[in-house]
Amino acid sequence: MSVGKKQETYFISAGEHSGDLLGADLVLALRERLPKLTPFGVVGSAMVHAGVEEVANVSQLSVMGVAEVLKKVSDLCMLEQRILHFIDQWDPKFAVLIDNPGFHLRLAEQLKMRGIKVYQYVAPKLWAWGASRAPKLRDNVDLVLGILPFEEEFFRERRINYNYVGSPLKDRIDKVIVKRSSLGLPENRKVIACLPGSRPSEIKLNLPTLAAVRNGVAREIPDAMFVVPVATNMDLLEVVDQFRAGRDDLKLLKHAAGTRVAVESYECAGLLFVRGMSLEMMAAADAAIVASGTATLECALLGTPMAVVYTMSDFTYQIAKHAVKLPYVSLVNLLAGKRLVAEFIQDFAVEDVTSEILSLLRDEVKRKAVLEQFEDIRDRLKGAAAENAATAIAQRFSDGKPASA
């Protein structure tokens, strides 16, 4: 380990791949404001590249669903003890916990007991499933740095110190300028981006639906391309191998005739799997099928019409059905305050998803109306999230007083 005993440090923890990307941007912004502090924590490749000392990897926390979490309880407890060992050894000046409240609220309690200031970057979605946990958040987190404007009232009503710092997605989207030619995608074919999730359990459950929708669309538009970007923290070939389950139609596209994409890619059951490039593929697509989550907002900000599709284990779904009290599950519809994009959750007919995608590809009036409302959402979000969050943290570190809300 490269962190020395006499160095001043701070702890930062990402719960999954998306949090790793947010954390990397925040670390760079903090380095400009607090250059003498050395970060260490739970990281992915982006945070490692940003200079964070790794004590654990986000892959060890990447679990989705109640049943899946229960299977890993002992592993998560051991991981927590390992993290606390390094925290005790390196005595960080503060801690930044990014999303993943299931693990981070427990960790925040331990950090608070040690007298360490705790900042939660990306507010836990208590407004969706856990208002009863608001006291725990209030007692153990010094400041919540939120990225969704509609949640501010919820937290402040519960006396939780909250700053809306802006949307990091807007910052990232503003940097995405893509031409199909740069990705190796043909200009004359319909392209549908498929985002099944960033966790192995999500991908396993959502991929069969994508394959079935692809078959339905292909009957109407034979040359339509279905592209599945796989997060860089996952083994691309392993994902494809698990999906094909004995199929013999796997192709390494760089050796195949026809379409050639600019990154490592495989084709199976009519789905084109590519390494990373999720934003670029969404931007280049005519439509998208997106698992509910951050990707729905990314897709809207990129201006790509979508359908939201999500399948979870039956056990997790029964728990979620009773715990979540929201009219919609996608961030796009929650921000719009209405059903702007179609949602297909758990029990649905694949034919209905297929019909929705076909209408998004063919109905220009519908496309135009959806895109205009996407633009409205984009206009209502502010950017510079990492910079605003870093400023709030640095101000508190420097003067010991609460940052202005």
Side-chain angles (χ1 to χ4, degrees), residues 7 211 304 306:
Q7 286 180 275
T304 303
M306 79 191 87

Side-chain angles (χ1 to χ4, degrees), residues 21-126:
L21 298 176
L22 298 181
D25 290 340
L26 181 59
V27 165
L28 296 178
L30 282 169
R31 186 167 296 140
E32 293 180 0
R33 293 157 177 80
L34 300 171
K36 294 182 179 180
L37 297 187
T38 301
F40 71 97
V42 183
V43 304
S45 58
M47 288 171 67
V48 169
H49 189 261
V52 183
E53 183 74 25
E54 178 177 346
V55 300
N57 195 275
V58 294
S59 62
Q60 296 169 267
L61 291 175
S62 188
V63 187
M64 184 67 179
V66 178
E68 292 80 1
V69 170
L70 290 175
K71 293 176 183 177
K72 293 194 69 174
V73 167
S74 61
D75 291 340
L76 292 173
C77 288
M78 290 176 61
L79 179 63
E80 181 181 317
Q81 291 306 309
R82 171 182 168 81
I83 292 168
L84 290 173
H85 166 76
F86 284 106
I87 287 170
D88 291 336
Q89 182 180 356
W90 291 337
D91 189 26
K93 297 299 181 182
F94 59 82
V96 181
L97 310 179
I98 306 171
D99 208 355
N100 198 332
F103 183 79
H104 283 152
L105 280 180
R106 281 168 44 89
L107 189 59
E109 194 169 8
Q110 291 294 322
L111 291 163
K112 198 66 176 176
M113 288 172 58
R114 288 163 168 78
I116 298 171
K117 285 191 176 296
V118 179
Y119 302 99
Q120 175 73 40
Y121 187 34
V122 182
K125 297 178 179 62
L126 303 188

Side-chain angles (χ1 to χ4, degrees), residues 165-217:
V165 295
S167 171
L169 298 181
K170 185 171 184 179
D171 300 328
R172 198 174 303 145
I173 294 307
D174 286 342
K175 300 174 184 176
V176 178
I177 302 174
V178 174
K179 293 183 179 180
R180 283 194 178 183
S181 57
S182 67
L183 298 173
L185 297 176
E187 297 286 350
N188 61 344
R189 294 174 64 181
K190 296 295 185 183
V191 175
I192 298 90
C194 303
L195 289 302
S198 60
R199 301 177 180 91
S201 57
E202 291 178 306
I203 294 175
K204 181 179 180 180
L205 288 168
N206 288 313
L207 272 180
T209 297
L210 300 181
V213 173
R214 179 264 168 195
N215 291 339
V217 171

